[in-house]
Amino acid sequence: MLFLKQIRATGFKSFADTTILNFTKEMIGVVGPNGSGKSNITDSIRWALGEQSNKSLRGSNMDDIVFSGSVGRPAAEYAEVTLVFDNQRDIFSTLSTDIVEITRKFSKKNRESEFYINGVKCKLRDIQDIALETGLTKSSIAIISQGTISRFAEAKPDVRREIFDEAAGVAKYKKRKLETQRKLEKASDNLLRIKDISDEIGRRLPTLKKKAEKAEKYKHLAEELQNIELAVLAKDALTYEVELEKLRTAKRSLEIKTEKLANEINLSQDELDVMLSKSSSTDIEINELNSSFQKIVERVASLKTQKQKVDSKESEKHSEANIDEIKAINLKKEYDEKTISLHSEKDLVASFEAQEKEAKREYDQISDSFERIHLKRQEIESEKNRLQFKLDDINQRARTSSISASSGAKNIIENKNRLSGVVGTVESLISVKEEYHVAFSLITGNHLQSVVFKTDEDAKKAIEFLKRNNFGRVNALPVSTLNPSSIAEAQKQVIKKAPGFIGFANELIEIKENCQVVLDYIYGTAIVTKTFDDAVRLGRSINYRYGIVSLDGQRVMPRGAMSGGSVSKATNIFAARRVDESINPETIAKNIQTLNNLYEDYQKEFNALRESREKSSVKIQEIMSNIKVSKFSITSLESNLEVLSENYKILTGKELYGDKNVSFSNESESIRISREIAKLESQRNEISVKLNILSNSRTQNSDRQHEINKDNKEKRNTLNEWKDTLASVKSDLNMMENTNIMILQKLSEKYNLNLDAVRQMSFDVIENVEQTRARILELSMELKEIGDVSIDSIEEYKGEQERFDYYDVQLKDIQEAIEKLESIIADIDIEMKTQFKKIVDDVNAALPEAFKKLFNGGTATLIYTDPDNILETGIDIDVQPPGKIIQNINLLSGGEKSLVALSVLFSILKVRPLPLVILDEVEAPLDVANVTRFAKYVREFVDVTQFIIVTHREGTMENCDILFGVTMQTKGITKIVNLDLKWDVIKKLLKN
Ligand code: ATP
């Protein structure tokens, strides 16, 4: 079969000129002297078909294939070879053209090979692919040299099998098997590695699981505890807030009431004292007046006796007078006496009226003062009440804004020098920028008054100091032992990118004295954002793991609760504290005390004025009643005088005093005495009025004293009752305040919440508080029992379990892959065995004939050296040359060995034909007869195989269809001559 139709070579090795070899016959002989360039033809075929190995091209680099020049001929710049194939039998299965031209060109300049198929540029890979189909690159029997022959004949059986492997196409299986084995090895390594890791994780998992389960249980219980404890604490805090306020109000009103009552009692006591001293002076006055009164009465009595005597004497003077005259004298006398009484009475009325006027003026004056004092007293009372209210309000605010721990803190700071390791209050250590005041006011809780200590021992001593001295409570933060919660670094990186993120609270403010751990402790899990929206968004994205506060004081609490609304000035706990005396409780208390004293003074004055006014009123009444009496007496006397005057006129017929007024110029002794009596009686009446006034006043006084005493007794009883109630209220309040402090401290320390925040939040509804408290206790005990846990172990276990599962899946996958690979290898082995066995069987079938033809008799058989292991068995050849019994192939002569090798190689070629085979002086060791037999034998293959036979042997040449003579007429440059079997020319050529 004609397959390779033409070789065109330019600049390839010794083909300096363009050299064309046209092959028109199947059995082509190439002849020529040594070194003329015969083998360069084979090289050119292999080079064009993509050979990359410089060594197999007999060079050291690719430049060596380019013509290197000769005497008088410069080196070529490039080498180019084109092979023209007949593809009518579709040897190149992928190419549809009948003629296939393959070209390779190498330029020394760019040191690159270019490939072309049918003139179309292609890649090396494309050439290599189609070259495989020529067998020239894959089969070692496509180019058979003398070396091939001797290597095959003398090789060890296991090396010899290689040619059968190759012929059986086992190489590709071997390659696949090797690849698969490599994969298997890799997979096994992987399996071991992953198994190691998986075992390691597997060993740790049970412990980790236990830890995680413990932590999970702890977390679960802690969450339940936190929920209900927080709800109960909040409920308690809010209830206590109301109850405490009620008690404080009750205490306040009781204090005011008791103080007022005690004051009242004191004042009444003062009043009583004043009254007692006054009543004794009144008694003295009454006694004096009584004595004067008595004297006057006695004098009047004596005067009256004297007058009787004078009157009898005067009556004796008128003893001769008749009855009418005597009657007239008596009438006149009586008239005179009554006139004197009338005058006296009128004087008395005038005096009383003057007294009344004075008394009324005095009353008005007292009333004015009384009203003024009354008003003043009211003013003081209302001012006092205003200040008291203000003081209560300030104290109340002070209580709500800071729990009483501050008093403990204050005492510790004041005794700093006596205690060790006191760093200061948080308030004194931190500095918060104004823009963060509101946000930090809300997340600082009650920590502003917490005291920072160097060590826990310092804190312990300070607390013992407070306890010993009953100096209040303190929240202590020992730097050495604080164990702050924090946000994981990975989480931080995510949070930092959130919109509106301002910072992590513990990084936004500063603290003195290297106390960063204090900030970490108070603010370690708090985040500050610009707006509430930012806080809500961030809360959602971190699944509410940490607390967030916006600059305007709105909060998103851990676990999703929210707290917010308006903020007042009071919310800002960092605002500079101004010293404002008007809100200084001590100043207010002092002012209240001053007002109390003033009030007491006014009250005394008020009481005194009230009494004076009452007295003055009584006096006026008394005077008025006496005026009335006197005026009645005057009317009665005047009417008597009229009657007397009338009677006198009837009796005497004369007017008693005519038109003249009564004149007493020459009055009688009796009249004088009457006048004195009237005067004295007038004095007596005046004294009587005074006595009445004084006696009334005394009665009033004693009634008042009695009343005050009775009143005071009742008041004292009430006061005692109130004092008892106040004491019990105070003790209740104290107890409640202590409990409240504990509640607020727990809220602050454990949940970082203050009352403001609690008020704004909603909590779980507690149905049964007592049951819930019992549950809290139960949970606390359970948690204590569980002891130390690591919450991180939950995540750690989850992660490790996931890793374990992942590696488990990996292991299974790898195991599956290994099984698959092993089955592939098994399949490959089966296939290799089958193929190998088949080729050996096929060759064994063809071998006797080939052997017979080449040896002219005898036979040969291929033998497995290890029939039980076809995959690795070597191949031995059992040969029986005609007439000889041979034990070992090595015992054969060189020529015989070549014949054995050729018979096997040609048997292979028989059962696995190739389109082109190059034989390079393979028959050289044979004798003439064997050469001819060999050449004839070759001819038997030409129907399916084209042969290019490089030879020096005539027997071969004679059997070739065509001979090409290779010469170097010009030194170093190969020239090809078509010899057309012209023997003379051939011989001449060979002689050269
Ligand atoms: P023998 O019968 O001894 O095997 P041969 O006819 O097969 O010899 P080759 O091996 O084909 O000879 O040719 C070798 C010749 O090719 C040498 O003379 C060598 O100088 C020449 N040659 C090899 N490479 C180049 C090259 N790059 N440039 C010029 N000449 C080269």
Side-chain angles (χ1 to χ4, degrees):
M1 181 192 77
L2 191 60
F3 178 50
L4 179 61
K5 293 183 80 167
Q6 191 182 65
I7 299 174
R8 294 198 297 269
T10 310
F12 182 81
K13 287 200 171 180
S14 54
F15 301 115
D17 300 317
T18 299
T19 310
I20 299 174
L21 278 90
N22 282 315
F23 301 132
T24 50
K25 297 282 191 296
E26 288 83 3
M27 201 166 154
I28 301 135
V30 177
V31 299
N34 291 129
S36 58
K38 302 188 287 297
S39 295
N40 287 348
I41 296 173
T42 315
D43 288 348
S44 73
I45 297 171
R46 287 173 47 242
W47 183 72
L49 287 174
E51 179 61 66
Q52 290 295 96
S53 159
N54 292 322
K55 201 178 149 203
S56 72
L57 290 168
R58 302 180 297 156
S60 54
N61 59 53
M62 204 42 91
D63 284 359
D64 290 344
I65 57 100
V66 183
F67 175 68
S68 57
S70 64
V71 184
R73 186 75 185 246
E77 279 307 305
Y78 68 93
E80 182 175 336
V81 175
T82 299
L83 306 177
V84 182
F85 291 101
D86 182 339
N87 192 32
Q88 289 185 73
R89 297 195 194 179
D90 293 332
I91 302 288
F92 300 113
S93 57
T94 53
L95 302 174
S96 54
T97 51
D98 286 349
I99 297 294
V100 171
E101 279 197 18
I102 290 171
T103 306
R104 181 175 186 174
K105 189 174 177 181
F106 173 82
S107 144
K108 283 204 284 189
K109 200 172 159 197
N110 55 21
R111 305 189 45 73
E112 262 183 26
S113 286
E114 289 172 6
F115 297 93
Y116 300 86
I117 296 174
N118 289 336
V120 179
K121 199 169 178 180
C122 62
K123 289 182 193 143
L124 167 66
R125 179 91 224 152
D126 302 326
I127 299 291
Q128 285 174 334
D129 281 349
I130 64 164
L132 278 176
E133 297 187 274
T134 64
L136 280 159
T137 52
K138 69 169 183 181
S139 175
S140 52
I141 58 164
I143 299 167
I144 304 172
S145 65
Q146 229 187 304
T148 316
I149 297 298
S150 56
R151 265 201 309 278
F152 180 79
E154 286 159 14
K156 288 194 173 142
D158 51 338
V159 177
R160 193 180 291 132
R161 73 163 279 155
E162 283 173 8
I163 204 157
F164 295 94
D165 279 344
E166 198 181 82
V170 165
K172 70 171 183 239
Y173 292 111
K174 271 199 170 162
K175 196 176 157 210
R176 265 176 60 200
K177 184 177 172 180
L178 206 69
E179 279 168 8
T180 315
Q181 274 172 332
R182 266 196 214 118
K183 279 185 194 164
L184 186 64
E185 231 168 73
K186 222 170 155 188
S188 302
D189 285 353
N190 253 349
L191 187 76
L192 279 179
R193 193 176 56 81
I194 287 171
K195 200 158 174 353
D196 277 355
I197 300 173
S198 166
D199 285 352
E200 169 62 23
I201 300 171
R203 263 194 300 281
R204 289 179 53 218
L205 266 186
T207 328
L208 209 52
K209 188 180 178 192
K210 256 192 203 161
K211 258 194 191 172
E213 277 171 355
K214 194 173 155 192
E216 191 77 62
K217 188 177 174 193
Y218 186 95
K219 196 179 150 197
H220 184 70
L221 294 177
E223 266 172 16
E224 193 195 341
L225 176 65
Q226 185 174 323
N227 275 343
I228 60 173
E229 188 179 56
L230 191 56
V232 167
L233 279 174
K235 193 181 165 80
D236 283 351
L238 295 174
T239 314
Y240 270 72
E241 191 190 18
V242 175
E243 289 304 312
L244 276 171
E245 193 45 42
K246 274 189 202 163
L247 274 180
R248 282 185 196 120
T249 312
K251 177 181 157 249
R252 217 157 36 237
S253 84
L254 273 170
E255 279 171 346
I256 293 170
K257 266 161 73 176
T258 48
E259 194 188 319
K260 202 173 167 193
L261 196 58
N263 273 343
E264 275 177 26
I265 293 171
N266 283 342
L267 284 172
S268 342
Q269 201 55 52
D270 288 351
E271 194 184 349
L272 214 54
D273 292 347
V274 172
M275 273 179 187
L276 279 172
S277 81
K278 273 193 181 165
S279 70
S280 71
S281 71
T282 307
D283 282 350
I284 293 168
E285 210 177 334
I286 285 175
N287 282 341
E288 282 171 359
L289 284 172
N290 267 335
S291 130
S292 302
F293 188 86
Q294 200 53 43
K295 276 180 193 160
I296 289 170
V297 168
E298 281 166 13
R299 175 75 182 141
V300 166
S302 145
L303 282 173
K304 276 186 176 171
T305 314
Q306 196 183 343
K307 189 177 176 277
Q308 266 179 351
K309 280 181 191 164
V310 170
D311 281 347
S312 346
K313 263 188 198 167
E314 278 187 4
S315 299
E316 282 170 13
K317 273 189 205 170
H318 301 295
S319 56
E320 296 120 34
N322 60 33
I323 294 165
D324 284 343
E325 280 173 346
I326 290 168
K327 273 184 182 175
I329 290 165
N330 284 339
L331 277 173
K332 190 177 178 288
K333 203 176 158 194
E334 193 180 347
Y335 187 90
D336 287 347
E337 280 169 4
K338 291 224 187 288
T339 303
I340 287 166
S341 295
L342 179 66
H343 284 158
S344 173
E345 213 54 66
K346 279 188 176 171
D347 286 347
L348 192 62
V349 166
S351 164
F352 279 148
E353 279 176 343
Q355 281 180 39
E356 184 196 10
K357 199 178 167 195
E358 176 59 22
K360 279 187 174 167
R361 192 195 58 76
E362 191 185 74
Y363 180 87
D364 288 343
Q365 204 178 6
I366 293 170
S367 284
D368 282 352
S369 298
F370 180 79
E371 287 306 324
R372 193 169 44 79
I373 296 293
H374 178 58
L375 274 176
K376 199 77 189 163
R377 198 188 60 148
Q378 275 182 339
E379 272 172 25
I380 291 168
E381 190 162 30
S382 79
E383 176 62 5
K384 201 179 78 170
N385 287 342
R386 190 185 70 78
L387 288 180
Q388 187 64 50
F389 181 79
K390 193 170 178 177
L391 183 63
D392 289 346
D393 189 47
I394 290 166
N395 287 338
Q396 167 67 12
R397 270 202 232 177
R399 261 194 301 273
T400 32
S401 66
S402 164
I403 56 171
S404 81
S406 58
S407 70
K410 206 172 139 224
N411 283 322
I412 285 177
I413 301 301
E414 276 171 6
N415 291 283
K416 197 174 170 180
N417 296 334
R418 293 171 56 190
L419 297 162
S420 63
V422 179
V423 184
T425 56
V426 169
E427 184 181 20
S428 69
L429 295 173
I430 61 172
S431 54
V432 182
K433 281 188 196 161
E434 205 174 331
E435 58 197 292
Y436 302 143
H437 275 184
V438 173
F440 273 81
S441 291
L442 287 152
I443 56 173
T444 303
N446 292 314
H447 274 303
L448 223 48
Q449 291 303 316
S450 294
V451 178
V452 178
F453 292 90
K454 283 185 180 158
T455 68
D456 53 341
E457 197 50 40
D458 298 330
K460 188 174 159 259
K461 279 183 190 154
I463 287 169
E464 279 164 358
F465 165 76
L466 289 182
K467 201 175 154 196
R468 216 170 31 244
N469 295 294
N470 200 16
F471 270 180
R473 299 176 66 83
V474 74
N475 190 29
L477 303 174
V479 172
S480 67
T481 46
L482 285 180
N483 182 14
S485 308
S486 61
I487 303 174
E489 199 49 47
Q491 279 269 357
K492 274 189 169 182
Q493 294 308 322
V494 179
I495 293 166
K496 270 183 189 171
K497 289 176 193 142
F501 168 81
I502 301 269
F504 299 103
N506 56 337
E507 295 169 5
L508 284 178
I509 61 173
E510 283 171 12
I511 189 159
K512 296 178 202 162
E513 316 262 358
N514 289 339
C515 295
Q516 181 60 38
V517 70
V518 173
L519 293 186
D520 297 344
Y521 176 79
I522 304 175
Y523 308 110
T525 55
I527 302 159
V528 181
T529 61
K530 203 167 176 193
T531 66
F532 187 35
D533 278 349
D534 298 331
V536 172
R537 211 177 307 115
L538 177 57
R540 229 176 270 143
S541 78
I542 58 168
N543 206 18
Y544 304 106
R545 274 188 78 176
Y546 309 109
I548 308 161
V549 63
S550 62
L551 288 181
D552 63 342
Q554 317 303 323
R555 296 180 74 185
V556 174
M557 322 292 280
R559 297 187 299 112
M562 289 184 192
S563 142
S566 64
V567 287
S568 63
K569 273 188 183 166
T571 313
N572 186 351
I573 59 174
F574 297 102
R577 279 145 219 254
R578 265 173 259 107
V579 182
D580 183 352
E581 281 305 323
S582 74
I583 55 155
N584 182 342
E586 283 170 18
T587 311
I588 295 174
K590 230 184 246 172
N591 289 344
I592 290 174
Q593 193 48 48
T594 311
L595 285 173
N596 270 337
N597 295 341
L598 201 61
Y599 183 85
E600 260 181 45
D601 292 347
Y602 275 106
Q603 183 65 33
K604 278 181 196 163
E605 209 174 329
F606 175 82
N607 286 343
L609 281 170
R610 189 177 58 189
E611 200 191 321
S612 301
R613 198 171 70 157
E614 274 169 18
K615 266 189 192 165
S616 179
S617 168
V618 168
K619 192 175 173 184
I620 290 167
Q621 291 305 317
E622 186 62 33
I623 293 170
M624 278 171 72
S625 106
N626 276 292
I627 288 174
K628 221 184 220 171
V629 171
S630 289
K631 278 191 173 169
F632 183 75
S633 292
I634 287 170
T635 315
S636 159
L637 282 170
E638 278 175 346
S639 131
N640 278 345
L641 283 174
E642 253 176 56
V643 172
L644 286 172
S645 175
E646 196 62 33
N647 286 345
Y648 188 83
K649 197 177 172 182
I650 293 165
L651 192 69
T652 62
K654 292 190 261 179
E655 293 286 336
L656 186 55
Y657 284 106
D659 295 336
K660 286 183 246 166
N661 284 332
V662 180
S663 163
F664 301 114
S665 53
N666 50 352
E667 59 187 15
S668 65
E669 177 69 5
S670 172
I671 291 298
R672 195 194 52 82
I673 294 170
S674 291
R675 192 184 295 278
E676 195 177 342
I677 289 171
K679 195 181 166 191
L680 283 170
E681 279 179 338
S682 175
Q683 280 176 5
R684 188 197 59 197
N685 281 347
E686 265 189 83
I687 289 172
S688 170
V689 167
K690 278 183 186 165
L691 273 171
N692 275 342
I693 291 170
L694 284 173
S695 141
N696 274 340
S697 164
R698 194 171 60 176
T699 315
Q700 247 181 6
N701 237 348
S702 106
D703 286 350
R704 178 85 185 125
Q705 281 174 32
H706 189 68
E707 197 185 313
I708 288 173
N709 275 329
K710 196 179 149 213
D711 210 27
N712 274 2
K713 198 178 166 194
E714 279 170 18
K715 279 180 179 169
R716 279 201 184 90
N717 286 339
T718 313
L719 185 65
N720 285 339
E721 275 173 31
W722 286 354
K723 276 184 175 169
D724 287 349
T725 318
L726 182 61
S728 112
V729 166
K730 273 182 176 171
S731 129
D732 287 355
L733 185 63
N734 199 26
M735 265 164 51
M736 217 179 230
E737 263 172 349
N738 280 341
T739 318
N740 189 42
I741 286 166
M742 287 198 297
I743 293 168
L744 294 180
Q745 270 185 341
K746 206 164 192 182
L747 274 170
S748 158
E749 283 162 18
K750 212 168 167 184
Y751 301 101
N752 206 15
L753 289 173
N754 59 16
L755 200 56
D756 267 351
V758 168
R759 268 191 225 108
Q760 293 162 24
M761 288 164 67
S762 56
F763 298 94
D764 291 358
V765 180
I766 304 286
E767 299 280 346
N768 185 327
V769 179
E770 285 324 303
Q771 267 179 21
T772 313
R773 285 193 207 285
R775 179 72 185 140
I776 289 174
L777 257 174
E778 198 176 286
L779 286 169
S780 306
M781 303 263 284
E782 278 186 56
L783 286 173
K784 212 172 174 185
E785 244 172 59
I786 292 174
D788 281 349
V789 291
S790 154
I791 295 296
D792 288 346
S793 65
I794 300 173
E795 280 303 307
E796 200 186 342
Y797 170 65
K798 212 173 132 197
E800 284 301 276
Q801 182 64 56
E802 274 169 14
R803 274 182 74 207
F804 184 75
D805 293 344
Y806 168 77
Y807 284 121
D808 200 44
V809 171
Q810 292 272 88
L811 276 180
K812 279 184 188 133
D813 286 353
I814 295 171
Q815 258 152 356
E816 259 175 44
I818 286 176
E819 278 164 26
K820 239 183 218 163
L821 290 170
E822 282 170 346
S823 122
I824 289 171
I825 289 170
D827 288 348
I828 291 173
D829 284 349
I830 292 169
E831 193 60 29
M832 279 200 299
K833 269 191 226 166
T834 315
Q835 297 294 331
F836 185 75
K837 222 168 161 306
K838 189 159 190 319
I839 191 77
V840 173
D841 289 349
D842 289 351
V843 172
N844 256 340
L847 186 58
E849 193 195 331
F851 192 86
K852 203 173 173 183
K853 283 192 176 155
L854 288 172
F855 267 90
N856 203 18
T859 187
T861 318
L862 300 177
I863 298 168
Y864 298 120
T865 53
D866 184 3
D868 296 333
N869 186 3
I870 299 297
L871 281 178
E872 283 165 30
T873 180
I875 295 290
D876 226 338
I877 308 167
D878 183 15
V879 288
Q880 289 172 23
K884 290 185 183 169
I885 294 172
I886 292 293
Q887 298 298 324
N888 192 328
I889 191 172
N890 291 327
L891 298 173
L892 292 174
S893 73
E896 284 173 324
K897 276 184 197 163
S898 296
L899 280 174
V900 171
L902 284 169
S903 60
V904 175
L905 293 175
F906 273 86
S907 297
I908 296 172
L909 195 60
K910 187 104 189 165
V911 296
R912 299 285 183 272
L914 291 171
L916 178 65
V917 171
I918 299 165
L919 302 174
D920 194 352
E921 296 186 58
V922 289
E923 82 289 36
L926 304 186
D927 59 27
V928 175
N930 279 334
V931 168
T932 308
R933 210 165 22 252
F934 163 74
K936 281 187 176 153
Y937 181 62
V938 171
R939 178 151 289 285
E940 288 182 20
F941 288 84
V942 295
D943 283 349
V944 284
T945 305
Q946 178 180 5
F947 289 94
I948 297 172
I949 307 165
V950 179
T951 184
H952 284 289
R953 304 297 295 271
E954 276 180 35
T956 307
M957 291 179 206
E958 281 166 2
N959 282 287
C960 285
D961 296 324
I962 182 168
L963 281 181
F964 285 99
V966 182
T967 65
M968 272 200 181
Q969 281 171 347
T970 313
K971 201 74 186 147
I973 297 170
T974 300
K975 191 171 178 213
I976 306 289
V977 190
N978 194 334
L979 295 175
D980 276 342
L981 298 175
K982 288 169 187 151
W983 284 106
D984 50 334
V985 180
I986 293 166
K987 279 177 187 154
K988 196 177 163 201
L989 181 89
L990 289 174
K991 269 179 198 155
N992 289 337

